[in-house]
Amino acid sequence: MSEMLDLLVVGAGPTGIAIGAEARREGMSVLLVDRGPVTAAIQGYPTFMEFFTTRDRLEIAGIPFTIPDAKPTRRQALSYYRSVVDAFKIPLALYEDVLEVRREDDGFTVVGRRLRDGVETVRRTRSVALATGYFFNPRRLGVEGEDLPWVHDRYVEPHPHYGQDVVVIGAGNTAAEAAVELWRAGVRVTLVHRGAALKPGVKYWLKPDVENRIEEGSIAARFHTRVTAFRNDGVHVEGPDGPAVLPADAAFVLVGYTPDADFERRCGVEVDPETLIPKVDPETCESTVPGLYVAGTLQAGRWTDRIFIENSRDHGPKIVSHLKSRLLTPV
């Protein structure tokens, strides 16, 4: 059992780092706990991804994002957020899964397990902020064969698939980016989507590129089509022309993510069963459990395209300001 912390943050992404930086600025004891590395979600983005957002809107904790480009790359963002951790000397407990957040009279007991050796950790803290995001919970299709080794829910690089047949399922930014990168790397690509076209929110410089490749026949596209199974002979689909089997050496299911609402509920947070939006005070980010805060993309529930780094940067200051006032009296 460790000494009492002022704040324990579950999650070490940009939102968690921003909260940790604000806490350090105010002289509070804080710890960021994450089941993966720092900024795991960004590490999981495609290697050569360029952000839609400009660098100034990705800045946190008052640390300038000093690069010559208007829109940062994945690599630049990883370096920037590490620099914020270094600047504020934010304590980290990485590769540790949080199993339980238990409310008690004088604060919380947080039980975790280190992934490296399975050792259980028990920490005491006056407050907890949940900033886990959603990247660890990719949406699944729920069809036969989705767990086959050649079916993936993350796309990183095209080069391992040179000369292969690859099916990309989805029509958002990641799916569109994967399809065009794979094609440019010498891959035979088929894009499958249950809707009529690419999603409207696809990056404005990417969307026409993919649409032009589809129109010219470089990328095969099957719209109004759903996947029914992954089998050894390929990806089975059902579309306007009936059932078909698409040849596939690999498939990428890139249909988005969902927050871990069950974890939020286990922590005591009230979560709407339909929208998965947690009940929080918009002025403080505090949930209905005193001293337990919810920050970042978790606040958007199922609508993971509504809250990003740029429109949740104020969550850290809100939480720490409220917590600072609460520390003057028992939580």
Side-chain angles (χ1 to χ4, degrees):
M1 185 80 71
S2 60
E3 64 182 31
M4 179 77 81
L5 293 163
D6 291 324
L7 174 62
L8 185 146
V9 182
V10 185
T15 298
I17 294 170
I19 298 170
E22 291 297 329
R24 291 285 287 174
R25 195 197 306 275
E26 294 296 334
M28 297 178 184
S29 58
V30 64
L31 178 69
L32 272 56
V33 183
D34 199 295
R35 68 174 67 171
V38 169
T39 59
I42 298 175
Q43 291 192 39
Y45 291 168
T47 300
F48 304 107
M49 191 208 78
E50 181 179 271
F51 278 82
F52 184 88
T53 305
T54 55
R55 63 181 184 274
D56 58 302
R57 294 175 64 82
L58 296 175
E59 292 177 353
I60 59 173
I63 301 294
F65 200 149
T66 52
I67 57 171
D69 312 290
K71 294 183 172 65
T73 64
R74 165 186 173 273
R75 183 177 180 182
Q76 289 168 331
L78 291 172
S79 177
Y80 169 73
Y81 291 115
R82 287 199 308 269
S83 76
V84 178
V85 174
D86 291 340
F88 287 91
K89 296 181 172 56
I90 303 171
L92 304 169
L94 302 175
Y95 299 99
E96 181 177 320
D97 207 5
V98 173
L99 306 176
E100 183 182 6
V101 176
R102 187 169 63 246
R103 181 75 169 90
E104 296 176 348
D105 290 340
D106 59 346
F108 297 84
T109 294
V110 179
V111 180
R113 183 178 58 238
R114 295 200 309 240
L115 301 184
R116 179 175 61 84
D117 53 17
V119 170
E120 184 178 277
T121 61
V122 180
R123 298 185 177 91
R124 298 280 293 122
T125 180
R126 294 181 177 85
S127 60
V128 175
L130 305 183
T132 55
Y134 50 77
F135 199 69
F136 279 103
N137 293 287
R139 289 177 184 157
R140 295 173 61 83
L141 300 177
V143 300
E144 174 193 342
E146 200 164 4
D147 293 321
L148 288 171
W150 52 272
V151 180
H152 312 281
D153 55 27
R154 297 277 193 277
Y155 167 76
V156 178
E157 291 195 49
H159 308 296
H161 303 288
Y162 168 74
Q164 291 188 330
D165 293 299
V166 173
V167 175
V168 176
I169 299 98
N173 272 306
T174 304
E177 197 152 15
V180 76
E181 278 193 2
L182 286 161
W183 169 73
R184 288 203 166 94
V187 180
R188 296 180 294 276
V189 182
T190 301
L191 186 72
V192 175
H193 179 47
R194 62 185 180 181
L198 294 179
K199 292 184 177 180
V202 172
K203 298 168 185 174
Y204 66 84
W205 66 87
L206 174 62
K207 192 169 183 284
D209 190 4
V210 179
E211 289 173 338
N212 288 339
R213 302 295 77 74
I214 292 172
E215 185 177 354
E216 71 187 16
S218 298
I219 294 175
R222 296 210 174 212
F223 294 114
H224 296 295
T225 299
R226 63 184 182 89
V227 174
T228 57
F230 299 96
R231 295 179 182 147
N232 290 334
D233 58 344
V235 179
H236 290 239
V237 299
E238 181 80 34
D241 298 325
V245 180
L246 308 178
D249 298 295
F252 290 91
V253 180
L254 306 174
V255 293
Y257 305 88
T258 55
D260 189 351
D262 288 339
F263 174 69
E264 293 178 81
R265 293 189 184 101
R266 292 200 307 273
C267 294
V269 178
E270 291 184 30
V271 180
D272 186 277
E274 296 299 322
T275 65
L276 301 186
I277 293 176
K279 188 174 182 179
V280 300
D281 182 337
E283 298 303 316
T284 66
C285 298
E286 189 177 35
S287 72
T288 52
V289 179
L292 180 58
Y293 302 88
V294 181
T297 54
L298 276 182
Q299 289 192 9
R302 294 187 186 277
W303 290 283
T304 56
D305 59 347
R306 292 185 180 179
I307 296 181
F308 305 96
I309 299 168
E310 60 265 34
N311 60 2
S312 63
R313 291 182 297 173
D314 62 339
H315 290 184
K318 284 181 176 181
I319 290 170
V320 172
S321 175
H322 184 254
L323 176 57
K324 186 178 178 181
S325 67
R326 292 291 295 272
L327 288 178
L328 299 176
T329 57
V331 177

